[in-house]
């Protein structure tokens, strides 16, 4: 069974803090993704990575950065948290060679910035 | 205009009802069509997928794709309270390769099936 884990289920941070969200997958997947999920807006792609040290911007990268030093781990960084970054953050992974682009998701991190 | 449009609902139906969930899209390059189900406080999980046009059935669930109309549907027969979840459609233009596995998601429809 594919397992994607995220470091925290709930996180409360103050405006201006640097925030790290960690994601680990155990199935040797090449692709990893960070989304945020907001009511009425669905899943929006922030960044993705298709290999170690490789990253690509998604649809809403502003205010975020990522790091992928090891294949199994993909980190999302909020350099200076703002209240409009309060959201549910979902990490996902997928095989690059699969017949589908099926993505496996972690349970999510509910981030509140006050 | 979003590439994929999905009515966010919420949709509330009695147990046993037939549920119809729909998405429209604008990118004619989409070939793989998926439905994810997301229970409260969980990540989405793949429920069903279809390639190109046609129907696919899995138990009480049927996925339909009409590429000529750029319209996909998920039907749930004999709906159960355990079907209460958010349903997200997702699409991709090709599998693997230079797409790097990117999916385009709809906004998600919140479904509640009450006993």
């Amino acid at each position: 069974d594919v397992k994607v884990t995220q470091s925290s289920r709930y996180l409360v941070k103050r405006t201006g803090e640097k925030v790290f969200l960690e994601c680990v997958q155990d199935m040797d997947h090449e692709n990893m993704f960070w989304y945020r999920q907001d009511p009425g807006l669905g899943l929006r792609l922030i960044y993705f990575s298709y290999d170690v040290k490789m990253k690509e911007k998604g649809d809403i990268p502003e205010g975020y950065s990522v790091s992928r030093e090891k294949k199994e781990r993909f980190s999302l960084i909020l350099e200076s948290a703002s209240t409009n970054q309060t959201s549910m953050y979902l990490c996902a992974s997928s095989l690059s060679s699969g017949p589908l682009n099926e993505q496996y998701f972690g349970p999510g991190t509910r981030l509140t910035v006050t | 205009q979003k590439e994929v449009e999905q009515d966010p609902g919420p949709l509330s139906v009695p147990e046993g009802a037939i549920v119809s969930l729909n998405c429209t899209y604008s990118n004619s390059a989409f070939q793989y069509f998926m439905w994810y189900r997301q229970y409260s406080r969980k990540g989405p999980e793949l429920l069903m997928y279809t390639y190109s046009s046609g129907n696919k059935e899995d138990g009480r669930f049927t996925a339909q794709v009409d590429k000529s109309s750029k319209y996909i549907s998920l039907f749930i027969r004999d709906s159960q309270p355990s079907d209460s979840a958010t349903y997200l459609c997702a699409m991709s233009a090709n599998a693997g390769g230079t797409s790097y596995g990117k999916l385009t998601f709809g906004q998600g429809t919140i479904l509640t099936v009450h006993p």
Side-chain angles (χ1 to χ4, degrees), chain B residues 34-92:
Chain B
M34 285 155 265
W35 288 95
Y36 280 78
R37 180 172 60 193
Q38 182 179 22
Y39 290 117
S40 182
R41 292 185 290 278
K42 303 270 190 181
E45 289 183 318
L46 182 66
L47 179 63
M48 292 186 71
Y49 70 90
T50 52
Y51 171 69
S52 195
S53 282
N55 292 2
K56 188 171 184 179
E57 193 171 315
D58 184 2
R60 296 183 295 108
F61 297 87
T62 300
Q64 278 187 357
V65 175
D66 181 350
K67 290 190 76 178
S68 62
S69 301
K70 296 190 177 67
Y71 189 86
I72 72 169
S73 300
L74 178 71
F75 297 97
I76 307 174
R77 290 183 300 282
D78 187 26
S79 57
Q80 302 295 309
S82 58
D83 296 327
S84 298
T86 298
Y87 290 80
L88 300 116
C89 62
M91 308 178 189
S92 69

Side-chain angles (χ1 to χ4, degrees), chain A residues 71-87:
Chain A
K71 191 174 185 180
E72 68 270 18
R73 188 178 298 267
F74 192 34
S75 302
L76 180 69
I77 303 152
L78 288 66
E79 295 290 342
S80 177
S82 64
T83 54
N84 63 13
Q85 292 178 310
T86 291
S87 186

Side-chain angles (χ1 to χ4, degrees), chain A residues 9 37 96 99-103 106, chain B residues 36 38 41 43 94-96 101:
Chain A
R9 293 301 304 272
Q37 185 175 30
S96 64
L100 277 184
N101 290 330
E102 180 182 359
Q103 293 184 11
Chain B
Y36 280 78
Q38 182 179 22
R41 292 185 290 278
N94 57 359

